[in-house]
Amino acid sequence: QVQLQQSGPGLVKPSETLSLTCAVSGGSISGYYWSWLRQPPGKGLEWLGYVYYTGATNYSPSLKSRISMSLDTSQRQVSLKLRSVTAADTAIYYCARIGGVLDPFDFWGQGTQVTVSS
Amino acid sequence: SYVLTQPPSVSVAPGQTARITCTENNIGSKSVHWYQRKPGQAPIVVASDDTDQPSGIPDRFSGSISGNTATLTISRVEAGDEADYFCQVWESTSDHPWVFGGGTKLTVL
């Protein structure tokens, strides 16, 4: 059974960098898009971007200047970095796996509540 | 931008049928997926309108589309079905191609 275990700080100061990691156990890394999503308070889920198993990335245009994602296949970890955060970046962040653009996100991490505050 | 509209809440008695809708003008041409999220847990996919039933999901959960509305139907509702449910499509023309509805809180009375 595939499991995605997220880790990272729950509190980040304004202007600093949010860093989260998603450890993948079970299943294959290959052939999948490893995505990050978030849900701000009172709002719907927002797709942030993905890193393909080849290392190719695609980011939300609204975050492109601040976001980066990477995949360490040997460690089976997916990473998210979001720079220069503000209160608007406060959200529950999720990692998730998807096989193809028309497929569902079939496995998700448990979510990490990240609050941006001084 | 592409917007999927869901009712904020739906309430149903145990044993009855719950229907949660997801509306958008062009949704009939999309592949729609439905997710269940319980507090503190990872979301799980419970239905898709054009694929086989997700592994481990009872057939009480089903998805369908008619006109501009996709519907998640939960038959013989149980207390354990109480959760947030949200719909999702892939919209190739959008800046954010994976689009989600705002979510619906299902309350089992």
Side-chain angles (χ1 to χ4, degrees):
Chain A
Q1 177 74 334
V2 176
Q3 290 190 325
L4 278 60
Q5 181 66 43
Q6 297 178 219
S7 60
L11 182 63
V12 182
K13 290 182 168 54
S15 79
E16 295 191 345
T17 296
L18 179 160
S19 296
L20 296 175
T21 299
C22 176
V24 181
S25 59
S28 174
I29 294 285
S30 297
Y32 293 98
Y33 298 85
W34 300 92
S35 297
W36 288 94
L37 308 97
R38 70 182 180 183
Q39 185 166 25
K43 297 185 179 181
L45 275 161
E46 176 189 13
W47 171 79
L48 305 182
Y50 66 69
V51 52
Y52 196 38
Y53 76 100
T54 59
T57 56
N58 185 15
Y59 303 135
S60 164
S62 62
L63 296 172
K64 207 166 191 174
S65 63
R66 300 195 290 129
I67 199 168
S68 62
M69 298 177 187
S70 60
L71 174 63
D72 185 331
T73 54
S74 63
Q75 296 293 319
R76 298 177 63 86
Q77 286 186 346
V78 188
S79 297
L80 167 70
K81 291 187 186 302
L82 184 63
R83 298 176 292 276
S84 303
V85 297
T86 69
D89 295 310
T90 293
I92 301 174
Y93 285 75
Y94 295 96
C95 60
R97 187 186 87 164
I98 187 169
V101 295
L102 297 181
D103 294 337
F105 292 90
D106 58 355
F107 291 99
W108 297 64
Q110 79 278 20
T112 302
Q113 171 66 55
V114 177
T115 301
V116 178
S117 175
S118 56
Chain B
S1 62
Y2 201 78
V3 177
L4 299 175
T5 302
Q6 296 183 238
S9 62
V10 167
S11 298
V12 64
Q16 299 303 304
T17 298
R19 294 179 179 85
I20 298 172
T21 57
C22 176
T23 303
E24 204 288 330
N25 283 344
N26 295 314
I27 204 168
S29 63
K30 307 295 180 186
S31 179
V32 182
H33 308 295
W34 290 92
Y35 302 87
Q36 176 195 73
R37 182 180 59 196
K38 296 181 179 179
Q41 296 186 18
I44 60 171
V45 57
V46 293
S48 298
D49 66 295
D50 62 351
T51 62
D52 294 337
Q53 194 74 1
S55 176
I57 302 300
D59 60 8
R60 299 186 298 108
F61 292 82
S62 63
S64 62
I65 297 179
S66 179
N68 296 332
T69 300
T71 302
L72 172 68
T73 301
I74 310 172
S75 305
R76 304 180 301 281
V77 166
E78 303 172 356
D81 297 333
E82 186 162 291
D84 291 328
Y85 292 85
F86 47 94
C87 56
Q88 175 255 312
V89 303
W90 183 73
E91 172 51 54
S92 61
T93 63
S94 174
D95 285 345
H96 296 76
W98 283 278
V99 182
F100 293 84
T104 298
K105 168 67 176 177
L106 176 67
T107 299
V108 182
L109 302 170

